[in-house]
Amino acid sequence: MNISEEFDTITAISTPFGNGGVGVIRISGDKAFDIIEKIFTNCKFEPHRFNHGWITDDSVKIDEVLVLPFFAPNSYTGENVIEIQCHGGVNVVRNILNLVLKNGARMAEKGEFTKRAFLNKRMDLSQAEAVADIIHSKTSEFAKLSVKNLSGSLREKTNEIKNEIFEVLSKILAGIDFPEDVKEPEYDYLTEKFEDIIAQIDKVLASANASNILRQGIAVSIVGKPNVGKSSLFNTLLNLDRAIVTDIAGTTRDVLKETLDLGVPVTLIDTAGIRKEGENKVEEIGIEYSKQSLNEADLIIFVCDVAQGINDDDLAILELIKDKKYIIAANKADIVNSSQRNLEQQLLKLQSNENKLSCTYISALTGEGIEDLRKILTSKVCEIEPDMLEYVTNVRQQACLSKTRAALEQALIASKLRELQDLISIDVKSALLALDELTGELITDDILDNIFEHFCIGK
Ligand code: GDP
């Protein structure tokens, strides 16, 4: 795909592959109406109003459908667009797609509809990227946050920053170009302005880490000795029966992974019980895997059995994870009384260091304490409240913002040193260019292709 490529008419199935109630085929481009007129029985179109009729191939009926027309520029792509809603069987959708292709459209590439929307200025790049984020979001929270960008929250903020930089640059250039008529701006004004704009960029970048965590998710590993209730906890947290739960030690032999939505997508990993030596080969492999999964984990839930108390094996595991972020879940709290909930004291006595470790008492069997554990997990996992996140950014956008920031930092140093404003203007211009990259006003084919490659066909 090339930015300068002439826009031909493209088509794709916009609904997921498989059988469903409804299937949608989308056509976008100059020939969209010509094509539909060749294959549809009811072509008196009014903008945004459904027409009911039949898709036919040489008068052979293919399916009974609804057709929704959009006239350029009032469509998703900014071009003429036709959406055909047909019955959702794999083959009927495919038959219609083939018919559209036969009549002059070409198969759309990944994200090509959205790419056209961007190139036709229906949205800026941050909004186009938000479309991909919404489609691929692993949690409902992230989908909601991405909608903020679709509605232009990041675009507005970047434009605000850009206007401010532009204003400063105009003043500097006016002073340089018309020294007789316009006084060059005061250095104090420049310093103050640069500091202020850098602070605004920092505010957007402050949520960069949180954005990345929300987008990619984190891995949480459940570890502990055999039989302390790791699999039971895994199931309880996920509300499923996937892991095998038995009272024979060493029954979880491979590593199980499932995704849990805690606002942040969490890959929950149930590991085989960590013991010094497995009783057989398979179990040993499981134990090896669990040690590896410790390395991959961003956070660990260390499960111990409150009824048995803490022993050397538990301490050995604690030693293994001591440099990691972890939570202690004291399981089987249902079979002990409140005076036996004293793991903290036991740990304090047994451990050589003075750190007091806090435990959460749970029962994977009865569900006691599980909600609290979820809350602790969420707070540890995010160290951010998703609703407090003002701007969602991706790595590309963060890099552009950092470039802008670095250029402004140079301009700030130069203005503090009262260097020639001609020189300062060079850094200010680079700051603007980096922002143009963010919004997509200055972008290469390669970067664009890379962005839209991550879309699905039909979007
Ligand atoms: P794992 O080897 O650490 O994965 O342990 P499992 O989840 O397989 O559990 C081992 C045994 O402990 C099973 O018989 C479970 O039913 C039992 N168990 C797990 N959690 C609890 C709990 O909270 N309370 C009680 N009473 N038993 C539990």
Side-chain angles (χ1 to χ4, degrees):
M1 257 193 291
N2 193 298
I3 296 181
S4 55
E5 188 180 42
E6 200 181 306
F7 288 175
D8 46 4
T9 300
I10 53 172
T11 186
I13 298 167
S14 288
T15 35
F17 186 76
N19 292 332
V22 181
V24 174
I25 295 111
R26 210 186 230 173
I27 315 170
S28 177
D30 285 352
K31 286 198 274 180
F33 282 96
D34 297 342
I35 293 171
I36 197 72
E37 273 163 21
K38 288 189 215 159
I39 62 172
F40 185 51
T41 54
N42 178 14
C43 288
K44 263 198 181 156
F45 292 118
E46 282 176 55
H48 303 137
R49 304 225 23 186
F50 275 110
N51 279 17
H52 168 251
W54 288 84
I55 294 288
T56 59
D57 183 7
D58 278 340
S59 63
V60 176
K61 285 181 175 166
I62 304 293
D63 194 19
E64 189 181 13
V65 301
L66 289 174
V67 169
L68 182 58
F70 299 86
F71 291 84
N74 300 315
S75 70
Y76 183 71
T77 58
E79 306 171 329
N80 283 337
V81 169
I82 292 288
E83 283 186 12
I84 306 170
Q85 285 195 10
C86 62
H87 292 101
V90 176
N91 289 312
V92 68
V93 179
R94 204 182 273 162
N95 288 344
I96 297 176
L97 177 75
N98 286 338
L99 198 55
V100 173
L101 290 169
K102 198 169 87 180
N103 281 281
R106 123 172 113 71
M107 195 63 204
E109 292 178 27
K110 282 182 182 175
E112 201 172 354
F113 291 95
T114 311
K115 186 174 179 180
R116 287 188 175 195
F118 163 69
L119 293 174
N120 288 323
K121 302 205 176 338
R122 297 290 292 166
M123 52 178 75
D124 85 336
L125 207 49
S126 68
Q127 289 169 302
E129 287 174 301
V131 172
D133 276 346
I134 291 169
I135 294 173
H136 298 299
S137 57
K138 292 184 184 148
T139 64
S140 65
E141 203 57 55
F142 191 67
K144 283 189 217 154
L145 284 167
S146 302
V147 167
K148 278 196 194 174
N149 277 355
L150 182 64
S151 67
S153 125
L154 186 62
R155 185 194 60 191
E156 276 162 29
K157 188 67 206 167
T158 357
N159 280 343
E160 205 180 301
I161 294 174
K162 205 164 130 183
N163 288 341
E164 290 195 33
I165 302 178
F166 196 72
E167 193 191 312
V168 183
L169 183 64
S170 313
K171 287 189 176 160
I172 298 177
L173 293 182
I176 296 169
D177 292 342
F178 310 104
E180 268 104 65
D181 307 319
V182 188
K183 254 179 59 185
E184 64 175 19
E186 300 282 335
Y187 280 96
D188 286 346
Y189 160 83
L190 291 181
T191 307
E192 203 178 295
K193 263 323 231 186
F194 293 143
E195 278 173 348
D196 176 57
I197 302 170
I198 289 173
Q200 292 185 51
I201 295 175
D202 283 346
K203 198 167 166 219
V204 181
L205 282 175
S207 36
N209 206 16
S211 295
N212 296 345
I213 291 177
L214 282 172
R215 179 176 284 102
Q216 290 149 14
I218 68 152
V220 175
S221 211
I222 304 179
V223 303
K225 289 182 309 192
N227 238 20
V228 291
K230 296 180 297 300
S231 303
S232 307
L233 178 61
F234 179 84
N235 292 346
T236 308
L237 284 171
L238 291 161
N239 300 321
L240 51 77
D241 298 322
R242 199 184 138 180
I244 321 149
V245 177
T246 71
D247 49 10
I248 307 158
T251 39
T252 309
R253 287 179 176 160
D254 53 0
V255 176
L256 302 178
K257 291 185 183 180
E258 284 288 345
T259 304
L260 179 65
D261 180 352
L262 288 180
V264 171
V266 170
T267 304
L268 198 60
I269 308 168
D270 179 20
T271 63
I274 296 177
R275 275 192 300 187
K276 285 192 192 99
E277 278 159 46
E279 276 155 26
N280 60 45
K281 197 81 194 147
V282 184
E283 200 191 329
E284 269 174 37
I285 294 168
I287 291 166
E288 200 37 54
Y289 277 146
S290 45
K291 283 189 178 160
Q292 274 173 26
S293 85
L294 281 185
N295 295 331
E296 286 167 29
D298 301 295
L299 176 69
I300 288 161
I301 305 176
F302 168 61
V303 186
C304 52
D305 182 335
V306 66
Q308 276 185 8
I310 293 287
N311 66 15
D312 285 350
D313 283 345
D314 293 298
L315 290 180
I317 298 171
L318 274 174
E319 182 59 27
L320 212 60
I321 61 174
K322 71 174 189 303
D323 297 326
K324 290 252 167 196
K325 234 197 245 182
Y326 64 89
I327 301 171
I328 304 180
N331 193 32
K332 308 198 185 180
D334 56 301
I335 47 174
V336 296
N337 59 37
S338 52
S339 64
Q340 288 169 284
R341 297 184 177 200
N342 59 359
L343 282 189
E344 285 94 343
Q345 285 98 304
Q346 290 187 40
L347 281 165
L348 201 56
K349 251 191 247 159
L350 291 168
Q351 286 213 119
S352 48
N353 68 43
E354 295 292 294
N355 287 343
K356 186 172 179 332
L357 299 170
S358 72
C359 304
T360 306
Y361 292 90
I362 60 161
S363 167
L365 206 64
T366 66
E368 181 196 336
I370 296 295
E371 266 324 295
D372 287 340
L373 181 65
R374 274 181 199 278
K375 282 188 194 136
I376 297 168
L377 257 180
T378 310
S379 66
K380 288 259 183 198
V381 158
C382 313
E383 283 178 348
I384 37 136
E385 292 294 330
D387 13 321
M388 281 163 64
L389 211 72
E390 212 173 330
Y391 300 103
V392 178
T393 48
N394 61 32
V395 175
R396 187 193 72 81
Q397 294 160 344
Q398 289 154 20
C400 295
L401 283 167
S402 299
K403 243 189 264 161
T404 313
R405 193 193 185 287
L408 288 175
E409 190 72 46
Q410 286 303 321
L412 174 65
I413 294 169
S415 72
K416 280 184 180 164
L417 294 172
R418 299 183 186 267
E419 288 192 6
L420 282 180
Q421 295 206 0
D422 218 353
L423 289 178
I424 298 179
S425 75
I426 298 173
D427 290 322
V428 182
K429 277 182 200 157
S430 329
L432 271 181
L433 288 180
L435 274 188
D436 281 346
E437 245 179 75
L438 195 159
T439 55
E441 278 154 83
L442 185 86
I443 197 114
T444 63
D445 282 1
D446 288 353
I447 299 180
L448 261 197
D449 285 347
N450 186 28
I451 292 170
F452 288 102
E453 243 164 46
H454 295 103
F455 276 66
C456 33
I457 303 251
K459 193 66 208 176

